């Protein structure tokens, strides 16, 4: 697994208190029970601090599932390519 | 401690990242089952403090506490405080945190300042002071828990721009006046501590600390850049209140106290002087010396030839630190973890009293792994940062600073002189005779209240019940009719050890209970505890008590006093869990004679 992918899964696991291996492309606000507004705030903080980036206001409200988080991170230059 | 928790704590220490705190705080439920002392934290707030919670929980776990956190409803500070049956009081908290954001407390002073008349400004300031005062007096009617409350931070750009600073009547000065009034007002109450966010935010910078976007969307004003430090600013108090302040700074030498390697570069070659980088090392040495003057013990742990390293402190003209500032050292080629244990043993303090500072990350990692109780500061490669890196964690921060503190580090140096005397004496009793010991025992008063509270918070080893008391607690004991608080001061011909013993006795009917009995480690082995016990018995007898009850509460640090009451001729009554109860029948012959090598002075008995 790409190291940023691994890091991202670890962040999901720590913030939402779920097992790392249950995090996948389908993980979203609809199927992670602990993804409430407060944990959303914590997720944003953790992502910004861990990847050293700052989201725009628009981005912070749209990243409501794992795939979108990845997409927005890619816009900030975070690579999820293998190798 | 389980591997998981240890790893999570080490991750926090090494990474110092938000996510590491989140991961550690996720283990809160696990530590609750592991014999960590439960610690109930009640937080009242007018903003979204939730992002700070992982830091607060994580730090509490780091201090060996099992945090149990209650957070009030949004904007419910007054409601929680004023209502006797509110959840706040039901939770019976060990500490109360009031986290307030200025814009929520006073929109007028924060954003509409220019529209107010001078009178309206004054009224608004007095309104806030009197509201806050009413909170404190309500809280104190129902709870003795220490209260942490943050001051108001100064806004970014004042409405009047460059003009604002020119008059005392304008915005910035009004806010600092408000903070000052609040501080003064709170002196009427015990155990109120102001968390100085104003100064923290000016250190980080207002624009870096405050996130207007999350403030307006989620009432969460503290930005990601200030999150960790803001949380730590609150938890520094939790560390100090729970007696977890560190006592001893152990320093590496090469590239820590000077630039370069003394064994290779020699006295003239190392970097220590008025020009950079030597100047940065002077600054760092100065900060270590400041800690020494605060009462922190200094020690050295370095891989060097002893004479090479000591020569710097003896001969280098720019070395601010001199040999006599260090109480002990391990300068050799042994494993540093082993050397740290030797240092703790030498000073008769716990390994968890040490902070180890080294520029070498291999040594730091090794110590972290071998001795998780030690706090480790791994200095960066930039010597100009050293001073900040040493101070930013507040490892040594305490709630009081007394005359005793200033003397303490010198006392540990005197201890070395005593060791020399001991070696030359023909017997231990001879040695004690030659020390010319003088004990002063009395009932406590306002003047030594702060030191007494400090001893209850810091003493771990010779402490029979390990009950921690704040200054407010001790003050209440002094004013109570059925309690005595005793202090014990000791001096010998080498130095004045100061106030080193405390005993608290409660009376009920014809029984006297020893609530607390403790001695600072540096005063052990001289028989002073026998004098203190004798005085307790004499006074209990005078007050008509016929039995003196002692309890020993076992912790993992006070095993050395497990048979203390036995030695004092008490009779064993029972043992329930970790609490052992003892009784002494008070009769004329149960009063012990003082050891003949101590001259005893009584004061206010």
């Amino acid at each position: 697994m790409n190291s940023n992918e691994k890091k991202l899964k670890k962040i999901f696991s720590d913030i939402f208190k779920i097992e790392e291996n249950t995090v996948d492309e389908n993980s979203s606000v609809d199927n992670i029970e602990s993804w409430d507004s407060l944990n959303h705030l914590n997720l944003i903080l953790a992502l910004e601090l861990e990847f050293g980036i700052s989201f725009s206001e628009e981005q912070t409200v749209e990243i409501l599932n794992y795939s979108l988080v990845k997409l927005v991170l890619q816009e900030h230059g975070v690579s999820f390519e293998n190798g | 401690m389980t591997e998981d928790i240890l790893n999570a704590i080490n991750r926090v220490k090494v990474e110092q990242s938000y996510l590491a705190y989140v991961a550690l705080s996720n283990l809160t439920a696990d530590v609750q089952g592991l014999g960590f002392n439960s610690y109930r934290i009640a937080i009242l707030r007018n903003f979204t403090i939730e992002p700070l919670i992982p830091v607060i929980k994580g730090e509490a776990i780091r201090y060996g506490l099992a945090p149990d956190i209650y957070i009030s409803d949004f904007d419910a500070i007054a409601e929680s405080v004023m209502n006797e049956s509110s959840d706040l009081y039901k939770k019976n908290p060990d500490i109360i945190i009031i986290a307030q954001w200025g814009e929520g407390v006073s929109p007028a002073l924060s954003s509409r300042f220019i529209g107010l008349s001078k009178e309206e400004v004054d009224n608004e300031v007095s309104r806030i002071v009197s509201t806050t005062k009413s909170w404190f007096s309500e809280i104190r009617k129902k709870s003795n828990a220490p209260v942490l409350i943050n001051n108001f931070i100064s806004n970014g750009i004042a409405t009047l721009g460059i003009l604002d600073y020119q008059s005392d009547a304008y915005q910035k000065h009004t806010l600092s006046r408000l903070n000052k009034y609040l501080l003064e007002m709170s002196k009427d109450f015990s155990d109120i501590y102001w968390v100085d966010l104003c100064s923290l935010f000016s250190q980080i910078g207002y624009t870096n600390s405050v996130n207007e976007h999350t403030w307006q969307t989620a009432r969460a004003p503290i930005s990601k850049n200030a999150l960790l430090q803001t949380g730590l600013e609150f938890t520094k108090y939790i560390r100090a209140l729970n007696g977890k302040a560190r006592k001893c700074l152990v320093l590496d030498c090469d590239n820590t106290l000077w630039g370069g390697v003394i064994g290779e570069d020699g006295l003239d070659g190392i970097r220590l002087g008025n020009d950079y980088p030597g100047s940065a090392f002077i600054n760092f040495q100065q900060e270590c010396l400041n800690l020494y003057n605060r009462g922190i013990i200094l020690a050295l742990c370095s891989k060097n030839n002893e004479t090479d390293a000591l020569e710097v402190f003896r001969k280098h003209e720019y070395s601010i630190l001199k040999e006599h500032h260090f109480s002990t050292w391990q300068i050799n080629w042994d494993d540093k973890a082993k050397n740290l244990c030797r240092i703790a043993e030498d000073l008769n303090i716990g390994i968890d009293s040490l902070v180890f500072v080294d520029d070498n990350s291999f040594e730091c990692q090794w110590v972290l792994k071998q001795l998780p109780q030690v706090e480790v500061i791994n200095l960066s490669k930039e010597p100009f940062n050293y001073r900040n890196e040493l101070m930013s964690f507040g490892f040594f921060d305490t709630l009081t600073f007394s005359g005793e503190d200033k003397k303490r580090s010198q006392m540990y140096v005197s201890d070395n002189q005593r060791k020399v005397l001991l070696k030359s004496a023909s017997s231990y009793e001879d040695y004690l005779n030659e020390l010319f010991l003088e004990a002063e025992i009395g009932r406590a008063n306002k003047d030594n209240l702060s030191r007494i509270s400090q001893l209850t918070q810091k003493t771990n080893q010779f402490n029979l019940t390990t009950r921690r008391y704040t200054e407010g607690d001790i003050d209440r004991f002094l004013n109570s009719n059925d309690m005595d608080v005793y202090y014990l001061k000791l001096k010998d011909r080498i130095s004045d050890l100061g106030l080193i013993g405390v005993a608290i006795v409660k009376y009920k009917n014809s029984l006297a209970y020893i609530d607390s009995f403790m001695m600072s480690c540096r005063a052990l082995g001289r028989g002073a505890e026998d004098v203190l016990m004798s005085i307790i018995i004499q006074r209990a007898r005078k007050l008509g008590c016929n039995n003196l009850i002692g309890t020993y509460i076992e912790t993992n640090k006070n095993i050395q006093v497990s048979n203390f009451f036995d030695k004092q001729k008490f009779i064993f009554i029972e043992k329930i869990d970790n609490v052992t109860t003892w009784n002494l029948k008070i009769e004329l012959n149960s009063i012990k004679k003082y050891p003949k090598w101590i001259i005893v002075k009584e004061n206010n008995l």
Side-chain angles (χ1 to χ4, degrees):
Chain A
M1 202 189 318
N2 167 295
S3 67
N4 283 327
E5 182 102 42
K6 210 169 149 94
K7 192 165 161 182
L8 183 56
K9 289 195 171 173
K10 180 92 185 92
I11 293 174
F12 267 66
S13 143
D14 283 337
I15 294 290
F16 298 122
K17 303 184 183 70
I18 52 178
E19 292 293 329
E20 219 170 304
N21 57 20
T22 65
V23 180
D24 59 27
E25 302 287 328
N26 298 320
S27 301
S28 83
V29 75
D30 300 320
N31 54 33
I32 296 179
E33 206 180 323
S34 54
W35 194 331
D36 56 16
S37 60
L38 280 172
N39 271 335
H40 187 68
L41 193 64
N42 289 346
L43 175 68
I44 304 280
L45 287 166
L47 290 171
E48 289 188 331
L49 287 166
E50 289 294 312
F51 290 104
I53 54 167
S54 283
F55 295 123
S56 70
E57 186 201 333
E58 201 179 324
Q59 287 169 334
T60 60
V61 289
E62 72 187 23
I63 48 174
L64 293 174
N65 63 50
Y66 186 84
S67 316
L68 280 171
V69 171
K70 258 174 84 171
L71 208 66
V72 170
L73 285 175
Q74 278 165 334
E75 286 173 24
H76 283 274
V78 179
S79 163
F80 290 93
E81 304 287 317
N82 276 314
Chain B
M1 226 186 304
T2 68
E3 197 76 357
D4 277 3
I5 295 165
L6 221 51
N7 288 341
I9 293 177
N10 271 349
R11 186 177 159 202
V12 161
K13 289 181 178 175
V14 174
E15 284 183 20
Q16 294 159 35
S17 72
Y18 184 62
L19 200 63
Y21 276 106
V22 172
L24 178 57
S25 72
N26 285 344
L27 300 173
T28 304
D30 300 352
V31 302
Q32 267 149 2
L34 279 179
F36 280 48
N37 289 332
S38 167
Y39 192 66
R40 293 178 302 271
I41 306 172
I43 302 177
L44 315 175
R45 49 65 183 272
N46 74 349
F47 66 92
T48 306
I49 197 169
E50 279 76 355
L52 292 180
I53 300 300
V55 183
I56 295 175
K57 280 186 178 171
E59 279 292 304
I61 295 173
R62 186 175 181 174
Y63 313 146
L65 303 168
D68 174 1
I69 295 198
Y70 159 76
I71 304 177
S72 80
D73 286 342
F74 207 84
D75 242 339
I77 301 177
E79 196 182 307
S80 309
V81 166
M82 296 302 184
N83 179 356
E84 205 167 322
S85 53
S86 70
D87 286 342
L88 164 66
Y89 300 117
K90 280 190 203 142
K91 298 283 173 191
N92 188 22
D94 296 305
I95 189 167
I96 299 170
I97 296 178
I98 301 178
Q100 50 178 356
W101 194 249
E103 225 171 307
V105 176
S106 177
L109 291 186
S110 303
S111 48
R112 292 190 281 104
F113 188 86
I114 201 66
L116 305 177
S117 69
K118 185 178 179 310
E119 201 186 357
E120 283 170 318
V121 169
D122 289 345
N123 286 344
E124 183 64 358
V125 168
S126 354
R127 177 189 71 85
I128 298 168
V129 175
S130 75
T131 310
T132 315
K133 187 172 181 179
S134 69
W135 294 348
F136 293 163
S137 60
E138 276 310 300
I139 290 176
R140 278 293 163 266
K141 282 181 202 157
K142 290 151 203 149
S143 168
N144 293 319
V147 175
L148 307 186
I149 177 167
N150 66 280
N151 62 5
F152 294 104
I153 62 159
S154 165
N155 287 46
I157 301 164
T159 315
L160 281 169
I162 53 171
L163 182 59
D164 185 80
Y165 190 78
Q166 314 305 320
S167 165
D168 196 38
Y170 295 149
Q171 203 167 4
K172 298 250 169 177
H173 292 294
T174 301
L175 272 174
S176 49
R177 204 160 56 233
L178 172 60
N179 283 337
K180 203 174 127 220
Y181 291 162
L182 287 167
L183 181 69
E184 279 164 13
M185 171 276 288
S186 56
K187 299 226 162 94
D188 295 342
F189 302 90
S190 57
D191 299 311
I192 307 282
Y193 302 102
W194 285 92
V195 179
D196 189 4
L197 284 196
C198 187
S199 144
L200 179 72
F201 280 28
S202 74
Q203 204 183 310
I204 307 171
Y206 179 86
T207 40
N208 274 323
S209 313
V210 177
N211 184 330
E212 287 293 343
H213 174 227
T214 49
W215 164 244
Q216 292 183 24
T217 53
R219 292 279 159 217
I222 297 165
S223 88
K224 59 175 191 282
N225 306 309
L227 207 56
L228 237 60
Q229 279 162 287
T230 308
L232 291 176
E233 208 56 31
F234 281 94
T235 55
K236 282 174 184 175
Y237 286 88
I238 297 181
R239 168 163 46 214
L241 281 162
N242 285 282
K244 309 286 179 181
R246 303 272 155 163
K247 296 172 185 164
C248 175
L249 172 63
V250 187
L251 295 151
D252 170 49
C253 290
D254 292 330
N255 288 315
T256 296
L257 290 174
W258 55 77
V261 177
I262 183 69
E264 288 168 17
D265 302 333
L267 206 53
D268 300 328
I270 56 169
R271 268 75 77 200
L272 186 63
N274 286 332
D275 301 319
Y276 190 81
S279 54
F281 291 101
I282 290 188
N283 282 348
F284 182 65
Q285 286 203 4
Q286 181 62 55
E287 204 59 56
C288 296
L289 186 60
N290 293 346
L291 285 172
Y292 171 88
N293 287 327
R294 251 172 79 173
I296 303 305
I297 310 162
L298 301 187
L300 296 167
C301 180
S302 158
K303 287 187 176 165
N304 256 317
N305 292 327
E306 187 174 303
T307 44
D308 289 349
L310 290 180
E311 205 185 358
V312 179
F313 307 110
R314 287 171 182 160
K315 291 192 183 149
H316 200 290
E317 66 169 318
Y318 290 105
S319 183
I320 298 175
L321 291 171
K322 307 290 180 202
E323 187 179 348
H324 71 260
H325 292 124
F326 298 100
S327 299
T328 185
W329 50 79
Q330 291 290 330
I331 305 171
N332 51 46
W333 303 91
D334 292 352
D335 163 9
K336 288 209 175 184
K338 270 193 204 121
N339 278 334
L340 285 166
C341 293
R342 288 178 190 148
I343 286 170
E345 202 177 315
D346 219 25
L347 297 169
N348 203 5
I349 57 178
I351 294 171
D352 62 358
S353 294
L354 307 182
V355 174
F356 172 60
V357 180
D358 203 317
D359 64 297
N360 180 320
S361 53
F362 168 79
E363 299 288 4
C364 291
Q365 295 292 333
W366 174 254
V367 169
L368 263 179
K369 242 194 141 52
Q370 299 300 309
L371 303 171
Q373 311 93 314
V374 175
E375 288 290 358
V376 174
I377 300 175
N378 189 353
L379 297 170
S380 65
K381 294 291 163 216
E382 326 284 3
F384 53 84
N385 281 331
Y386 282 9
R387 188 152 76 167
N388 271 339
E389 286 162 4
L390 174 64
M391 299 308 286
S392 65
F393 294 100
F395 286 137
F396 305 103
D397 286 5
T398 50
L399 300 172
T400 51
F401 181 62
S402 61
E404 309 284 331
D405 291 312
K406 285 191 188 167
K407 284 187 269 167
R408 186 178 332 104
S409 23
Q410 290 145 35
M411 284 168 191
Y412 278 90
V413 176
S414 315
D415 270 352
N416 264 344
Q417 298 171 11
R418 283 191 196 92
K419 278 180 196 156
V420 173
L421 186 62
L422 178 58
K423 272 185 196 152
S424 68
S426 55
S427 71
Y428 192 66
E429 200 173 324
D430 252 21
Y431 160 70
L432 290 171
N433 279 323
E434 277 174 37
L435 276 179
F436 298 107
L437 284 157
E438 238 182 84
E440 178 192 320
I441 296 188
R443 277 188 293 156
N445 54 48
K446 292 264 181 213
D447 294 337
N448 43 36
L449 186 146
S450 132
R451 168 64 181 159
I452 288 171
S453 146
Q454 192 188 51
L455 261 189
T456 70
Q457 286 168 17
K458 290 169 95 167
T459 312
N460 295 314
Q461 299 180 62
F462 196 112
N463 192 339
L464 287 152
T465 54
T466 322
R467 295 188 172 118
R468 311 292 192 195
Y469 293 121
T470 63
E471 284 187 35
D473 294 328
I474 301 292
D475 197 28
R476 264 184 298 112
F477 299 164
L478 295 187
N479 294 320
S480 134
N481 298 324
D482 48 8
M483 286 178 87
D484 276 324
V485 180
Y486 296 99
Y487 71 84
L488 164 65
K489 288 184 182 176
L490 201 62
K491 63 178 169 194
D492 61 24
R493 72 168 214 218
I494 292 170
S495 72
D496 187 347
L497 286 92
L499 199 160
I500 44 75
V502 171
I504 300 172
V505 181
K506 292 185 176 174
Y507 306 100
K508 200 173 176 191
N509 304 324
S510 57
L511 298 177
Y513 297 87
I514 300 176
D515 172 90
S516 298
F517 193 106
M518 73 203 68
M519 300 258 298
S520 162
C521 289
R522 63 169 192 264
L524 298 182
R526 296 171 174 81
E529 60 275 24
D530 296 336
V531 182
L532 183 56
M533 183 58 84
S534 181
I535 296 248
I536 291 175
I537 299 168
Q538 290 176 49
R539 185 163 157 83
R541 184 162 182 271
K542 213 157 83 186
L543 293 172
C545 296
N546 47 33
N547 285 285
L548 179 62
I549 316 286
T551 39
Y552 165 65
I553 304 176
E554 186 183 318
T555 67
N556 49 23
K557 307 203 110 174
N558 67 354
I559 307 299
Q560 68 174 85
V561 287
S562 57
N563 60 354
F564 174 74
F565 285 116
D566 189 37
K567 279 193 206 152
Q568 298 287 335
K569 305 278 184 284
F570 281 59
I571 307 295
F572 172 80
I573 304 291
E574 61 178 8
K575 180 173 196 305
I576 300 170
D577 298 327
N578 62 337
V579 182
T580 326
T581 309
W582 303 76
N583 181 39
L584 179 79
K585 264 203 146 13
I586 302 178
E587 290 153 350
L588 194 54
N589 64 7
S590 51
I591 298 172
K592 291 182 70 164
K593 284 206 184 99
Y594 303 148
K596 60 178 190 298
W597 53 81
I598 304 182
I599 300 164
V600 179
K601 284 201 287 188
E602 296 178 10
N603 181 24
N604 182 29
L605 285 178

